[in-house]
């Protein structure tokens, strides 16, 4: 089976292909020559993921999926949430992480979670899959692997950040990994 992932983020494409293995052939937006900016105007992860997959399905009539992910921090009332990619006003994750650390300051409540919602459109019908990983925010940036907020997020039952984990370990427990495994399980039925 061939599926288009409504993204050109090569980190995400590689991560999802590694999680899914050979269950399907994954194509990116580049692979289908889609260079348009896909709207992301929803106020929830579900809405944004659905916008992406519906955009691709409506224009290319191909089975596809889109995702939306974000970091939710309890002490910041769920921020950055759906605004995770541009929390600081830019898409620079160094700036985004610095803003999170600045806003948290010395607050001892550092509980947080990463959430991913995948919207799969298969033959015109949408199916949603969610993955959540609980953890906490560090006080400093640590690690060079991964992307996004990985250097400031330590998952529960670990003492290292996502950015300090090897890709296989992160993919095994990550929010995106959980959601992708649910989608793969659905596709295998």
């Amino acid at each position: 089976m061939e599926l288009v992932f409504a993204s050109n983020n090569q980190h995400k494409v590689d991560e999802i292909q590694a999680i899914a293995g050979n269950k399907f052939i994954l194509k990116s937006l580049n692979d289908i020559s889609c260079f348009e900016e896909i709207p992301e105007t929803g106020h929830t992860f579900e809405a944004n993921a659905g916008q992406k997959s519906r955009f691709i399905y409506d224009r290319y009539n191909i089975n596809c999926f889109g995702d939306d992910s974000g970091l939710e921090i309890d002490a910041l009332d769920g921020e950055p949430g759906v605004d995770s990619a541009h929390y600081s006003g830019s898409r620079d994750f160094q700036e985004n992480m610095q803003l999170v650390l600045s806003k948290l300051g010395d607050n001892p409540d550092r509980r947080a979670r990463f959430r991913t919602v995948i919207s799969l459109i298969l033959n015109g019908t949408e199916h949603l899959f969610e993955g959540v990983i609980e953890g906490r925010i560090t006080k400093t940036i640590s690690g060079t692997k991964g992307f996004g907020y990985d250097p400031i997020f330590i998952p529960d039952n670990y003492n290292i950040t996502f950015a300090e984990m090897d890709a296989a370990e992160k993919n095994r427990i990550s929010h995106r990994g959980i959601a992708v495994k649910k989608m793969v399980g659905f596709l295998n039925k």
Side-chain angles (χ1 to χ4, degrees):
M1 171 184 287
E2 239 178 44
L3 280 177
V4 172
F5 179 29
S7 178
N8 274 323
N9 181 327
Q10 197 57 48
H11 290 292
K12 284 186 181 184
V13 172
D14 293 345
E15 195 172 84
I16 288 175
Q17 189 67 72
I19 295 163
N22 60 0
K23 300 296 182 190
F24 51 82
I25 297 167
L26 185 61
K27 291 188 167 189
S28 70
L29 295 178
N30 281 337
D31 294 329
I32 62 167
S33 299
C34 176
F35 305 107
E36 300 170 71
E37 187 70 28
I38 299 177
E40 239 182 298
T41 57
H43 298 289
T44 65
F45 297 118
E46 293 82 0
N48 284 335
Q51 274 185 320
K52 293 174 191 178
S53 60
R54 184 58 62 191
F55 182 93
I56 296 305
Y57 190 82
D58 288 348
R59 280 164 181 73
Y60 296 88
N61 195 31
I62 188 167
N63 291 329
C64 61
F65 65 97
D67 80 327
D68 197 31
S69 300
L71 179 64
E72 299 173 329
I73 302 170
D74 291 354
L76 301 180
D77 297 322
E79 287 182 6
V82 295
D83 296 322
S84 291
H86 48 82
Y87 189 49
S88 65
S90 80
R91 289 190 170 268
D92 182 318
F93 272 102
Q94 289 297 323
E95 290 179 25
N96 291 337
M97 285 188 291
Q98 290 299 336
L99 181 57
V100 163
L101 295 176
S102 171
K103 281 189 166 190
L104 277 176
D106 289 329
N107 190 327
D109 181 6
R110 303 190 82 83
R111 291 173 296 147
R113 73 210 42 80
F114 268 123
R115 285 187 62 222
T116 291
V117 174
I118 292 175
S119 165
L120 168 69
I121 297 186
L122 204 56
N123 304 319
T125 303
E126 183 183 38
H127 308 273
L128 295 175
F129 307 93
E130 181 181 48
V132 177
I133 181 76
E134 298 287 335
R136 66 190 183 281
I137 301 300
T138 62
K139 291 191 175 188
T140 59
I141 293 171
S142 185
T144 58
K145 301 173 189 163
F147 59 98
Y149 294 94
D150 287 356
I152 62 169
F153 183 82
I154 297 176
D156 283 352
N157 303 314
Y158 284 82
N159 59 5
I160 59 174
T161 67
F162 269 167
E164 295 172 296
M165 290 182 183
D166 65 46
E169 180 67 5
K170 179 190 172 194
N171 291 342
R172 189 179 68 75
I173 66 166
S174 78
H175 51 301
R176 189 168 292 107
I178 293 166
V180 169
K181 286 173 195 162
K182 288 178 181 178
M183 180 178 72
V184 169
F186 171 80
L187 290 170
N188 283 337
K189 288 182 184 178

